[in-house]
Every structure is written in structure tokens, then in C-alpha cells.
Amino acid sequence: MSTKSPEEIIKIHSGKDLSKIWLSSPHMGGNEQKYVSDAFTSNWIAPLGPHVNGFEEDLASFTGVSHAAALSSGTGALHLGLLLLDVGPGDIVLCQSLTFSASANPIIYQGATPVFIDSEMDTWNMDPEALEEAIISIQKIPIQTNSGLSSKIKAIVPVHLYGMPAKMNEIKAISNKYGIPVLEDAAEALGSVYNGKACGSLGDMGVLSFNGNKIITTSGGGALISDDKEKIEKARFYATQSRDPAPHYQHSHLGFNYRMSNILAGIGRGQMEVLPERVNQRRGNFKRYQQYFDKWQASAGLFNFHFGFQNEPEGSYSNRWLTCITIDPQANNGLSREVMRLALEAENIEARPLWKPMHLQPYFKNYPYYGGNTAENLFDSGLCLPSGSNLSPLDFKRIFESLDTIISDFATK
Ligand SMILES: *Cc1c(COP(=O)(O)O)cnc(C)c1O
């Protein structure tokens, strides 16, 4: 057991002037500027234009869906997805708890009530058993919503965390059994595949994000994708202030300003050209980390370290957007994810705990939750490691040397 406190570890490691290694930073392919400059040349500086159409076609053909609406954010896409599923006050939406808050916030925007669902240990995503338990329980005993007691469950929001496909066969079987549509949060999973189908194309509608740290980026942006033409056309309509066809501004629906600009769509078109390469690079990162940590585990008799990874089940192919490990201090001589994070931070290397589950967030803690402690345990023990597709061999050398120092501090010889 190491006797060093996190503060002491920081003291030992700090004081060096090293450039920052980010968790996941933008990585341009080269043609983005050409598309952007084309937008300038043609003066298509608007929230519509040829790049928006082109980017939508690229997204649809890549994911194998018939229709895509390019939007200003993944959050906006989730919001419109819920709106299109007719989610409103008095309705309930079942949402994965272990996720970024953007999966849950739009449920509140629509005045509906989120009910949070635990994760399973394989993929860290929505546990199908806890999902069905929630449905059965709510159908039997209505829950309190902001419009009184209700058992109207209108949508299921599973997430493919860090790119790993959720157990969609099981989730879709439950969706079919109870007639509740799936809005698939694939914000982190562009390029991931489940049983031969792209993530984002598995639910009734899918959400993508192109925020700055995602596998490809338009600096900010998102998309709603589906085979349902009517829904995607409606999404475009709502996203441009719900303008009715008329010479004047006429509105028979509430509108939103959620469309993607033609300039950002130009960045997106350039990024789509390198997406397959980015997936390979991220998967390469995962492999490097796996081999690195395996080395520590292989010397088990000596050190007794154990690190956990997100499993990639048969039939699943993760884009490995972020490589994450779990570290149980009790199984690792007291080494915790927080000690590791602080030691890396002292070396100017960014690592981050997993998403804090929504049912533990101060804002959401009073909403119902179904399941056990899996999401909470993953949060307590999980750490996201630097995973950019632009990490250099030198960056990895620095990361592994820092990890060597911190892990060997905790090794029992
Ligand atoms: C990034 C992200 C979103 C939101 O996307 P934005 O484009 O940032 O609005 C939603 N869900 C998950 C799981 C995400 O990681």
C-alpha cells in the first residue's frame, strides 16, 4: 500500500513544463478548409445551403438510413426527436442514467418526466432487465409527474457510451413488446456498428453529435437520422422556426432555431472523408492502452493489479471514441481512479472520471431510478484516458511513463 497522498504525488510530478495532452481534441483531415472557403466563394453563409444538403447525404449513406437532418447540436436533435415522438407534460421517458446530461435535459425541455435506468457491466449501457422492470412497475403503479399521476411511457433513450453499442436487440425487443419507441443517443458512436448496422440507425430515430471533442467535429453540431421521411422533414421544419409555406412569416407550430450553418456543414463534409480513418486511430489507441495495462496484469502474482475495460460483445464494433478503464482501489493496493487522474493532471495530461450518473446529479436526484449500483460503481472506479485520434507516439510515451510512475508507487513488491 502506497503511503503517498494525492497532494504528495502531484508535488512529485509537477514542476515540468509540458504541453497539454487533451482527452479528445479536434482533428482536421485537410479538406475542411476547401469546403468552408467554397461556402465563402458562393456566399452560402446561412443555416441552409449545398453543404448542409451534402453533409446530410454523407451522413445518411454512411449510417445506412434514408434521411438525416443536420442540426446545431446533438442536444437539439434529442429535443426534436422527443417532440416528434409527441413527448409532453405528463409523459414519461426512460433514459440511461450513466450518460452526459444532454441525454436527459431535453426530456425536461418538453415538460416530461425522466425515469433513469441503470447500466449493465458488459457494455456499461442501459440494462435491459432494469428497463423492463421499470416499465412493468410504472404500468402497474403510476408515478408522479408535473401533470399528476401518470404511467404514459412515451420513449426509451439508450446511449452507446464512449462508442460501445448498447444491447439493442434486447432493448428493441422490449420496445416492441410494450410499444414504446426508441430514440437512440448515438452522439458518441458515429462509426460504431451493431450486428452489421450502424449505431444511430437502430432505433426509431437516432441522434449524432459533432461537438468539438467527438470522433468527428463541426466545432458544434448534431443530426437527427431516421428511415422515417416524414419525421425528418418535420424536424427540418421545426428547426427553422416552423415557417409555414406562405410569402409572409406564418406559424402554426412552435418553432426552434436548430439548423446547422452551411459553413459548419462544410467542415462536416471534410470530416466525413476521414471518419473511417478516425475510427481506426481510436481503436488503435484502445489496443495500445489494453496492451499497456495487460503488462501490469500479466505480472499478477507480483503486483496483483486489475484494470477493467468496456467489453465489446460478439457482433459489436465500437469506434472506441474514448478508452476508459476501471480501477477498484481494493483490488489495486489502494490505487484509485482519482489518484491516477490527479497524477496525470500534474503531468498536464487530461483524464476524466466517467459521466456521473443522472440519478446522482443534484438537478435530477428526485426523479425515479430503476436498477442497482452498477452505474454508480462504474462512476466511482472509471477513468477516461486521453483518446484523441491525433495523439502522437511521443504523447503515448509521456502517458505511459506517467502511468508507470504512478502504478509502480502502488505495487507491492
Ligand atoms: C455530446 C453528447 C450529446 C450532446 O451533443 P451536443 O452536440 O454537445 O449537444 C448527447 N449525448 C451524449 C451521450 C453526448 O456525449
Side-chain angles (χ1 to χ4, degrees):
M1 171 73 103
S2 170
T3 52
K4 290 193 183 74
S5 69
E7 292 73 23
E8 285 174 299
I9 291 164
I10 289 178
K11 226 186 259 168
I12 293 164
H13 292 264
S14 59
K16 295 176 203 156
D17 181 26
L18 294 166
S19 63
K20 177 137 185 164
I21 295 179
W22 298 94
L23 190 70
S24 176
S25 69
H27 187 185
M28 294 296 107
N31 284 336
E32 292 83 359
Q33 272 184 310
K34 188 177 67 108
Y35 287 107
V36 170
S37 123
D38 181 67
F40 274 79
T41 309
S42 57
N43 205 30
W44 274 107
I45 316 287
L48 79 175
H51 286 336
V52 175
N53 302 341
F55 187 42
E56 288 178 342
E57 280 163 28
D58 292 347
L59 290 170
S61 79
F62 184 88
T63 54
V65 301
S66 341
H67 306 281
L71 302 169
S72 54
S73 71
T75 309
L78 278 153
H79 189 188
L80 292 184
L82 294 175
L83 184 70
L84 288 161
L85 293 175
D86 193 31
V87 171
D91 292 334
I92 295 156
V93 176
L94 305 176
C95 179
Q96 183 164 323
S97 184
L98 186 64
T99 184
F100 181 43
S101 64
S103 309
N105 287 334
I107 302 168
I108 306 286
Y109 301 166
Q110 281 305 100
T113 298
V115 169
F116 295 110
I117 309 292
D118 200 6
S119 290
E120 36 81 12
M121 267 312 288
D122 282 343
T123 73
W124 303 1
N125 291 308
M126 185 179 269
D127 179 357
E129 279 178 32
L131 173 67
E132 186 161 25
E133 188 198 319
I135 296 171
I136 292 169
S137 165
I138 292 167
Q139 287 189 341
K140 219 182 282 167
I141 308 163
I143 61 166
Q144 190 62 45
T145 71
N146 57 5
S147 304
L149 289 175
S150 169
S151 50
K152 279 196 293 179
I153 307 171
K154 293 293 266 296
I156 301 168
V157 182
V159 185
H160 308 299
L161 223 51
Y162 309 116
M164 183 61 69
K167 294 195 167 166
M168 290 303 287
N169 275 351
E170 289 85 342
I171 291 169
K172 280 174 70 179
I174 292 167
S175 150
N176 290 335
K177 183 171 166 188
Y178 297 93
I180 307 166
V182 171
L183 176 60
E184 191 191 349
D185 184 345
E188 303 177 2
L190 181 58
S192 298
V193 182
Y194 179 82
N195 290 339
K197 289 193 76 185
C199 283
S201 75
L202 302 157
D204 295 79
M205 280 177 281
V207 168
L208 303 173
S209 167
F210 317 109
N211 201 358
N213 60 0
K214 298 283 156 64
I215 190 154
I216 62 163
T217 182
T218 58
S219 74
L224 188 67
I225 66 176
S226 177
D227 283 330
D228 188 332
K229 183 177 178 199
E230 200 184 318
K231 281 212 169 62
I232 298 303
E233 280 178 351
K234 236 175 174 173
R236 293 194 188 104
F237 170 75
Y238 290 141
T240 40
Q241 306 288 19
S242 301
R243 258 192 88 182
D244 296 338
H248 54 277
Y249 279 81
Q250 167 98 2
H251 307 277
S252 40
H253 290 269
L254 178 65
F256 301 86
N257 183 4
Y258 278 170
R259 208 66 166 115
M260 178 179 277
S261 96
N262 194 54
I263 294 179
L264 301 192
I267 302 177
R269 292 189 80 181
Q271 288 273 277
M272 284 306 283
E273 294 177 4
V274 292
L275 175 56
E277 197 181 322
R278 296 293 178 263
V279 173
N280 286 336
Q281 285 157 330
R282 300 253 179 182
R283 286 181 65 87
N285 291 343
F286 175 78
K287 219 173 192 169
R288 280 180 113 128
Y289 279 119
Q290 198 179 32
Q291 281 166 356
Y292 171 82
F293 286 107
D294 274 355
K295 247 187 350 208
W296 281 104
Q297 298 187 114
S299 28
L302 199 54
F303 299 127
N304 273 320
F305 283 111
H306 182 78
F307 303 102
F309 291 99
Q310 251 177 327
N311 284 326
E312 191 172 60
E314 179 93 34
S316 286
Y317 184 84
S318 170
N319 68 10
R320 294 288 184 188
W321 172 54
L322 297 185
T323 293
C324 311
I325 55 162
T326 54
I327 316 161
D328 173 4
Q330 282 175 346
N332 289 294
N333 304 324
L335 173 61
S336 68
R337 68 114 155 104
E338 196 52 14
V339 168
M340 188 179 277
R341 188 187 70 78
L342 289 168
L344 289 168
E345 186 174 273
E347 299 269 358
N348 213 11
I349 298 168
E350 186 183 27
R352 201 189 287 156
L354 302 197
W355 300 123
K356 181 172 177 173
M358 291 304 113
H359 72 283
L360 302 176
Q361 296 287 356
Y363 183 77
F364 289 113
K365 70 178 189 314
N366 293 327
Y367 291 102
Y369 168 75
Y370 287 85
N373 294 326
T374 304
E376 184 169 2
N377 289 342
L378 284 167
F379 170 63
D380 286 340
S381 64
L383 188 68
C384 306
L385 298 163
S387 301
S389 47
N390 48 6
L391 289 173
S392 70
L394 212 63
D395 291 333
F396 268 107
K397 188 162 173 284
R398 252 179 75 195
I399 294 165
F400 291 149
E401 280 174 5
S402 305
L403 289 172
D404 278 345
T405 313
I406 172 73
I407 296 170
S408 52
D409 265 347
F410 285 83
T412 45
K413 300 261 163 50

